[in-house]
Amino acid sequence: MNDSTDLFLETATFCKPNDEKRPGFVGTPIGGVVVCDDVDLSAGATPVADAVPTDFAQGGSGSGGWYVRIMFDELLDPTVEDLLPILDPDTMLETGQFTGSLLNTQPVIVTCNGTEVAYDGYYSPSGNNVTWPVGPSLFISPLDRSAIATGSDCKVEIKDLVVDKNGGSVPTDQRGAGGEYAFSIAGLELTDTSPTPAGADAMPPVIVPEAPVSLQFNAFIDPASITTDEVVIIEHATADCSDAGIAVVNAAKVIEGGDGVVEISLNTAGADLAWDPESFYSVTFTDDNAIADLAGGAGALPGAADFTLCFNTNTATP
């Protein structure tokens, strides 16, 4: 399971007790990580941070968001996946190369909040308990992370069709039917803004009047869940927004700007500019605000005591 503390690293959510073949310290391109306790083999997995629900330009091992990897102590029968031909994008002819897919074989069941998750993935026969990533393994990636609510409780169960090269199935008590392989999706959070708030001793950022304020979240946000009454825009007389303000503009315009991004600007009918030129603004959120992702996962923006974005605008572009 990839961990929200470092999108590159995979941290175990389950370690088989008293198994000498389980991974301990594993070297990585950026140093190393202890996947399972390599001193006390009776210890299970150390509790880890929640899985990353979605991400945008990031993602562990190029996954583009949260995923599940299940490591085995021997090679699986290759029929666990289909090998699909890779086509030349120009000629649409086969290239002689193939990519693995679990779309038809479906060797595991992934559920979140009791609902089955549609997924694809592949079987990786490479690796062992000291390589990065560990292996052999099944890599499972949801087809549509936006359909999985933040804060969900999830689990994965291995089907009996997963067998080794001699036809032996995974033992019944190791398939996760009892919920042993459980994990949770992180709650909905504001992760970044553009522009970024200035530090305590720094001057506020300067943006062009045409640029809206962008809010980035760790999930696919429902822009309709942020109402204009929950966004407080104040025009100030001082560049550092230290004065009480000239005017409060609550008629904000809130639109979806892309995956996990919401844009905020002044709701001025017929205007091409997001803000007045050569002006000073602050943006805060009410303490009783509520937001939601596209799947209904609930959250809230930080209140005014925890977050204030002060910014200045320069001269409008001719």
Side-chain angles (χ1 to χ4, degrees):
M1 178 60 59
N2 66 321
D3 177 9
S4 61
T5 58
D6 190 322
L7 291 173
F8 174 79
L9 297 178
E10 296 177 1
T11 307
T13 56
F14 176 85
C15 292
K16 182 181 177 182
N18 304 310
D19 187 347
E20 294 183 351
K21 294 183 179 180
R22 74 184 197 175
F25 178 84
V26 176
T28 71
I30 60 173
V33 62
V34 177
V35 177
C36 299
D37 194 320
D38 52 2
V39 177
D40 181 7
L41 295 183
S42 65
T46 302
V48 298
D50 293 336
V52 179
T54 61
D55 83 306
F56 317 101
Q58 307 168 334
S61 302
S63 70
W66 70 266
Y67 59 88
V68 175
R69 186 186 300 277
I70 305 174
M71 175 190 171
F72 299 87
D73 63 0
E74 59 182 292
L75 294 171
L76 301 181
D77 188 301
T79 57
V80 73
E81 69 173 349
D82 293 326
L83 292 179
L84 307 179
I86 298 175
L87 305 181
D88 185 296
D90 296 324
T91 65
M92 299 306 295
L93 298 177
E94 294 187 11
T95 61
Q97 297 178 315
F98 297 83
T99 184
S101 173
L102 305 179
L103 194 60
N104 294 320
T105 59
Q106 297 289 285
V108 304
I109 302 172
V110 180
T111 58
C112 288
N113 287 349
T115 301
E116 278 199 39
V117 174
Y119 68 88
D120 197 358
Y122 57 86
Y123 164 53
S124 175
S126 61
N128 53 47
N129 62 350
V130 297
T131 63
W132 192 260
V134 296
S137 66
L138 289 175
F139 180 93
I140 295 104
S141 180
L143 291 176
D144 182 10
R145 294 179 181 84
S146 70
I148 304 166
T150 51
S152 294
D153 293 321
C154 305
K155 62 182 180 179
V156 59
E157 178 183 347
I158 304 170
K159 294 182 181 179
D160 59 5
L161 61 85
V162 178
V163 297
D164 61 24
K165 302 188 86 171
N166 295 319
S169 299
V170 176
T172 303
D173 62 352
Q174 296 178 23
R175 296 179 189 171
E180 296 89 342
Y181 309 141
F183 59 97
S184 61
I185 306 301
L188 182 57
E189 294 181 357
L190 174 68
T191 59
D192 197 10
T193 67
S194 178
T196 302
D201 299 324
M203 287 299 295
V206 179
I207 66 173
V208 296
E210 297 84 359
V213 167
S214 294
L215 309 178
Q216 181 166 299
F217 297 84
N218 65 343
F220 298 88
I221 202 73
D222 177 5
S225 69
I226 305 178
T227 66
T228 58
D229 290 341
E230 296 172 326
V231 182
V232 180
I233 301 174
I234 299 178
E235 184 178 355
H236 292 268
T238 58
D240 62 359
C241 304
S242 58
D243 62 291
I246 301 173
V248 177
V249 186
N250 281 321
K253 181 167 61 177
V254 181
I255 61 173
E256 183 180 7
D259 292 346
V261 177
V262 169
E263 295 180 344
I264 293 175
S265 64
L266 295 180
N267 191 15
T268 305
D272 294 330
L273 301 182
W275 315 98
D276 292 332
E278 300 179 352
S279 300
F280 317 130
Y281 293 98
S282 67
V283 174
T284 58
F285 309 108
T286 60
D287 293 333
D288 60 350
N289 76 82
I291 59 174
D293 60 41
L294 290 176
L301 292 159
D306 300 314
F307 175 86
T308 298
L309 174 57
C310 174
F311 62 95
N312 304 166
T313 60
N314 58 19
T315 305
T317 303

